[in-house]
Amino acid sequence: MRRTSVPDRAPSRRRVLGGVAALAAMTATGTAGTAGCAAPAAVGAGRTRLRFWHLYGGGDGVNMRTMLDAYRAAHPGIALRASTLQWGAPYYTKLGMAGAGGRAPEVAALHLARLPGFGPGRLLDPFDLDLLAEHGLSEKDFPADLWRRGRIDGAQYAVPLDTHPMVLYYNTDICRKAGLLGADGKLKPIRGAEEFAAALRAAGKATGRPALAVETLGAGTVGPWRLFSTLYSQTGGTLLDETATRITIDDTRALTVLRFMRRLTEEGLAHRRLDYNGTVGVFGGGETAFLLGGEWEVSTFTNLDLPFSMTRVPNLFGRPTAQADSHCFVLPHQRDRGGESNEAAHAFVAWMLKNTVEWAKGGHVPAYLPTLEKPGYLELEPQSEYRSVIDDVVLDPPAWFAGSASSMWIELGAVLSGVLTGSRTPQGALDEARARLQTLLDTPDPLGGDA
């Protein structure tokens, strides 16, 4: 077997542990866990140790366990030990501490948009592209933008598993009554903000209630940010420059979007005050025609026997884009990475990606492009209905404070919440969002600097 090794480029443990703790304090809800150095696990004679850390709970956790059980059955020579850690800041704190100590698991999950702030080259080791190729994976198997986001300073630190974008759920019974379905039983195309508003009005008349559920408030709310990011990206606007060091918000475009968001609740087209669980409850209860949210609730609504389907977020402002992040595989830093365990990690990543039909059942769009053409995936309804969004997803700018469970989501989500609830004007929200974003830019990266 090939023996590869990665030089120890980690900074001092004390410095990185301090940085990770500071980073956790600025991320989403949750209390940081204890130091996450992975203790050696007992492995039977002749078996190769492989440890995998992830943060998948709920329906994702069920699908992941199914995949891992299938992997174990197909690889009796690998002693796979998978650990599910608490989502958000606790997970990233523990993973960072493990990488800082150089005694991390062989492979782990990460949100791709968080990669720049997670110490590539210090807390993470790069993939061996030749080794991935030996197991049948190459750059051409993935969307160009997602693969590119995993590359830093010429090395590949992340291999994407999926993308999980904002999508539009719709109640087929209500939409049929409102005349919004085509002969094929699917939602008729909606083009532009006015057509969307008209569809919401028609659906509202059919129920006597606001037609759209979208997260507008709550502790640690991020829905308002995801909605703004989706619609603002459709205008072609950007948040930061390519180096993520300078604000590039276009006020005219941003205000166009913010005024439309305000209009949704002001005109009664959308519910004004719903937290995340409220959006799931209202749509899942059949009370409203549409839900704008993450695609991961597909299992929830399927289990409720709700008459629903899903589609891409309509192109309201010129481009068919949608805010998203991407789960990916990474190699946490190990002082002695190499040998059979490292080869097993690369082979594990390849096997998991080639078996992502099971993963797609939870709503995520597989990043491994061949999966999108497999009959098993195409038979998934409504999951396969929005697969084309894989080419139009927009991740956060490559800043250390961005990505899922990040301080930027929480800070800007709180500001933009006021636009939807009516407590902030669009201009006031834009000014405050700009100020908070500048504060984040002015804050040093807790994991940055030389050792």
Side-chain angles (χ1 to χ4, degrees):
M1 278 190 180
R2 167 185 301 209
R3 299 293 191 270
T4 57
S5 62
V6 177
D8 188 353
R9 290 167 290 178
S12 69
R13 180 174 172 83
R14 177 178 297 179
R15 174 167 184 164
V16 174
L17 293 187
V20 171
L23 180 60
M26 299 187 67
T27 54
T29 57
T31 304
T34 56
C37 294
V43 179
R47 303 180 75 203
T48 299
R49 179 180 68 177
L50 179 62
R51 294 161 297 176
F52 172 47
W53 284 8
H54 66 85
L55 68 175
Y56 304 124
D60 280 354
V62 172
N63 293 334
M64 179 55 65
R65 283 194 295 275
T66 299
M67 295 172 69
L68 294 175
D69 287 345
Y71 174 85
R72 291 187 180 98
H75 299 83
I78 303 296
L80 173 63
R81 180 180 179 183
S83 300
T84 308
L85 281 65
Q86 185 178 347
W87 196 92
Y91 175 78
Y92 285 116
T93 299
K94 191 166 186 178
L95 185 61
M97 286 177 159
R103 299 178 62 235
E106 281 70 38
V107 64
L110 194 82
H111 285 98
L112 185 55
R114 291 195 64 134
L115 180 65
F118 214 77
R122 301 189 302 278
L123 302 184
L124 301 176
D125 295 331
F127 279 91
D128 181 332
L129 295 184
D130 291 337
L131 193 51
L132 284 179
E134 288 181 17
H135 293 285
L137 286 189
S138 67
E139 179 177 354
K140 65 179 176 57
D141 294 322
F142 301 89
D145 286 346
L146 292 184
W147 182 264
R148 178 182 54 81
R149 284 294 295 263
R151 181 174 288 272
I152 295 178
D153 295 333
Q156 195 71 29
Y157 286 96
V159 176
L161 168 64
D162 64 31
T163 187
H164 39 99
M166 176 167 272
V167 297
L168 182 67
Y169 297 82
Y170 59 98
N171 183 299
T172 51
D173 283 355
I174 296 175
C175 288
R176 183 175 294 107
K177 293 175 183 176
L180 298 175
L181 298 187
D184 58 359
K186 298 178 181 179
L187 189 67
K188 294 177 182 177
I190 295 173
R191 301 179 181 87
E194 291 308 316
E195 281 195 16
F196 187 54
L200 295 180
R201 280 193 293 271
K205 288 180 181 179
T207 62
R209 300 167 182 252
L212 176 64
V214 65
E215 182 183 357
T216 64
L217 50 76
T221 182
V222 298
W225 154 250
R226 297 191 74 221
L227 177 61
F228 172 79
S229 178
T230 291
L231 300 182
Y232 179 60
S233 72
Q234 291 186 353
T235 71
T238 58
L239 203 67
L240 302 174
D241 65 1
E242 292 184 355
T243 63
T245 57
R246 181 175 60 85
I247 296 174
T248 57
I249 296 174
D250 183 299
D251 286 10
T252 300
R253 295 175 179 179
L255 286 172
T256 295
V257 170
L258 291 170
R259 286 167 183 153
F260 181 75
M261 290 170 58
R262 180 61 173 271
R263 176 185 171 190
L264 290 174
T265 52
E266 199 167 54
E267 294 184 7
L269 303 176
H271 290 265
R272 185 184 292 265
R273 302 184 66 81
L274 285 178
D275 62 10
Y276 182 84
N277 289 334
T279 66
V280 175
V282 166
F283 185 78
E287 300 176 32
T288 192
F290 297 102
L291 166 64
L292 277 169
E295 32 66 36
W296 50 81
E297 294 294 352
V298 60
S299 298
T300 301
F301 301 135
T302 299
N303 292 335
L304 292 173
D305 291 325
L306 185 74
F308 83 102
S309 191
M310 301 161 69
T311 188
R312 297 177 54 163
V313 176
N315 178 359
L316 304 187
F317 294 104
R319 302 171 70 223
T321 50
Q323 186 276 341
D325 205 338
S326 167
H327 295 118
C328 62
F329 292 106
V330 294
L331 305 177
H333 175 62
Q334 294 182 333
R335 290 197 187 99
D336 56 351
R337 177 171 290 280
E340 293 180 355
S341 289
N342 183 56
E343 181 161 349
H346 285 70
F348 169 78
V349 169
W351 189 93
M352 294 291 281
L353 288 167
K354 292 177 182 180
N355 290 273
T356 42
V357 170
E358 183 67 32
W359 186 242
K361 292 178 180 178
H364 307 317
V365 183
Y368 181 63
L369 294 176
T371 298
L372 302 183
E373 304 302 326
K374 290 184 177 181
Y377 176 72
L378 296 174
E379 291 167 3
L380 292 179
E381 295 287 347
Q383 291 92 330
S384 62
E385 292 292 327
Y386 49 88
R387 66 187 183 279
S388 63
V389 77
I390 193 77
D391 294 320
D392 296 305
V393 293
V394 175
L395 273 63
D396 289 353
W400 70 264
F401 49 76
S404 295
S406 68
S407 50
M408 185 180 80
W409 282 33
I410 300 300
E411 289 286 332
L412 298 190
V415 173
L416 299 171
S417 169
V419 176
L420 293 164
T421 62
S423 64
R424 290 184 189 270
T425 65
Q427 183 64 62
L430 177 58
D431 293 342
E432 178 64 17
R434 187 186 293 275
R436 294 196 184 192
L437 192 56
Q438 188 60 55
T439 297
L440 290 171
L441 284 172
D442 293 340
T443 303
D445 179 354
L447 301 180
D450 298 324

